[in-house]
Amino acid sequence: MYLPESVIICEQGARDGIQTVPEFIPTAKKIELINALSETGAPFIEVASFVNPRVIPQLRDGREVLAGIVKRPGVKYIGVVPNAEGARRAAEAGCDEIGIFFSASDSHNRHNVNMSTEDSIRGLAGVMDISRDAGIPVYAGIATCFGCPYEGDVPPKRVAWAIESVVKMGAYRVVLGDTTGMANPRQVEELMSFLLQRFPDTPINIHIHDNRGMGLACILAALQVGVTRFDSSVGGLGGSPTPGAMGNVCSEDLVHMLHELGVETGMDLDKLIACARIAGELTGRSTHSHVLKAGKRSDLVRSC
Ligand code: ZN
């Protein structure tokens, strides 16, 4: 089995994860989680969102969160923004990287922001200008790359067109979202082989969701064709609008699998599992973590 030697994980729990939690989580608690995540060795951590606070009240304290965390050298702390005004606020708050979002499929994009994908991409120019002036790199998050809940399959050429458009505008990397957990391993293998060949110089993350239990299988398929950048969320927090349903792939389950496969992540799994415990306390819910419940494979029963 071909596997890369090492991969890069982008931790989503503090942003994509808790944005769907209805009860407001106090700023100090968010800071506690992010500081603990910083100690795991995660090289990228999404920490805040600078959208209209009325749209996502849970993340209205982005500025305070960034002011309160202890930034670990080498870690990139990311804020996501919907427009130029958000980019200005993210830059002022001290984000190391800015994320912008739109959907590869028109129907999903229209459903979310009432405009076509093309118009959304054109509208990103203002974010790019502000980020360039502030010297902050931008990534483009492209939703519905592995399937759209309104349209079904999204043609690979359409995903390639979206990537090409945002890279031309100045995005230095892209994140391909499996927004509602529609990816399957064969499709991931085919789409990612095509895209890695087509965009050899653009870092491509995949942001897989586990709504239907295919999350880690999709990641294994991606590893085998050379994908080395993955998004995941501690405790499997967030990523599904259906209460109680699984959304984001769980970070500690992913890191556990990678380490068992001999793929290096640079992350400390025990510290990550401790973060999953914090995440569960923070949200008052049991997490979707397998490893938190079952323990690591290497945790042998010592009394027998
Ligand atoms: Zn997600």
Side-chain angles (χ1 to χ4, degrees):
M1 180 191 282
Y2 168 79
L3 292 168
E5 275 177 25
S6 64
V7 300
I8 293 168
I9 307 271
C10 182
E11 171 54 46
Q12 300 285 318
R15 199 278 305 169
D16 191 13
I18 60 177
Q19 78 176 14
T20 51
V21 177
E23 310 82 27
F24 183 74
I25 295 171
T27 308
K29 293 278 179 195
K30 290 173 184 152
I31 291 171
E32 182 191 341
L33 175 64
I34 295 164
N35 285 344
L37 288 168
S38 291
E39 294 301 314
T40 64
F44 291 84
I45 306 178
E46 295 215 354
V47 295
S49 181
F50 294 88
V51 299
N52 184 334
R54 280 192 297 276
V55 178
I56 307 181
Q58 177 62 267
L59 298 181
R60 62 177 184 254
D61 55 354
R63 189 191 163 92
E64 291 77 11
V65 166
L66 270 138
I69 56 175
V70 179
K71 280 190 166 189
R72 187 180 155 119
V75 179
K76 302 285 182 218
Y77 296 90
I78 305 170
V80 305
V81 309
N83 51 31
E85 172 54 26
R88 199 170 294 118
R89 285 167 52 212
E92 279 169 13
C95 290
D96 301 311
E97 189 169 319
I98 284 173
I100 50 172
F101 284 89
F102 63 93
S103 307
S105 55
D106 261 332
S107 325
H108 193 263
N109 206 67
R110 283 187 199 282
H111 182 82
N112 278 352
V113 290
N114 203 23
M115 62 174 96
S116 70
T117 301
E118 203 165 352
D119 285 343
S120 270
I121 293 174
R122 217 172 285 131
L124 300 177
V127 173
M128 294 298 184
D129 288 345
I130 286 168
S131 309
R132 205 175 296 116
D133 289 349
I136 302 173
V138 174
Y139 85 74
I142 308 175
T144 65
C145 288
F146 301 90
C148 167
Y150 305 104
E151 295 177 22
D153 292 337
V154 175
K157 278 188 180 160
R158 173 87 180 172
V159 179
W161 163 78
I163 296 173
E164 203 168 344
S165 307
V166 286
V167 168
K168 264 189 200 150
M169 291 185 77
Y172 89 101
R173 69 176 174 109
V174 293
V175 177
L176 309 185
D178 175 26
T179 311
T180 56
M182 290 173 73
N184 74 60
R186 173 173 289 200
Q187 172 212 22
V188 168
E189 180 190 34
E190 289 171 1
L191 179 64
M192 295 317 296
S193 303
F194 165 65
L195 294 174
L196 290 178
Q197 266 187 15
R198 176 114 180 224
F199 300 99
D201 302 322
T202 302
I204 304 178
N205 279 53
I206 62 170
H207 180 113
I208 294 292
H209 280 196
D210 196 32
N211 307 48
R212 298 176 173 88
M214 291 189 278
L216 288 183
C218 287
I219 290 179
L220 185 59
L223 284 164
Q224 289 181 274
V225 296
V227 176
T228 56
R229 306 178 72 105
F230 300 96
D231 286 7
S232 60
S233 172
V234 65
L237 289 183
S240 174
T242 315
M246 184 80 194
N248 288 310
V249 159
C250 177
S251 299
E252 58 277 17
D253 289 350
L254 172 61
V255 170
H256 179 264
M257 179 182 84
L258 290 166
H259 290 183
E260 287 295 325
L261 292 171
V263 177
E264 194 42 63
T265 63
M267 292 176 69
D268 183 317
L269 180 55
D270 291 316
K271 287 183 178 172
L272 190 55
I273 292 171
C275 288
R277 228 166 259 127
I278 297 174
E281 286 161 16
L282 205 76
T283 57
R285 289 170 178 76
S286 105
T287 70
H288 295 289
S289 172
H290 286 85
V291 178
L292 182 61
K293 292 168 192 144
K296 297 180 290 180
R297 181 178 179 274
S298 57
D299 292 339
L300 301 181
V301 178
R302 296 187 192 285
S303 57
C304 60

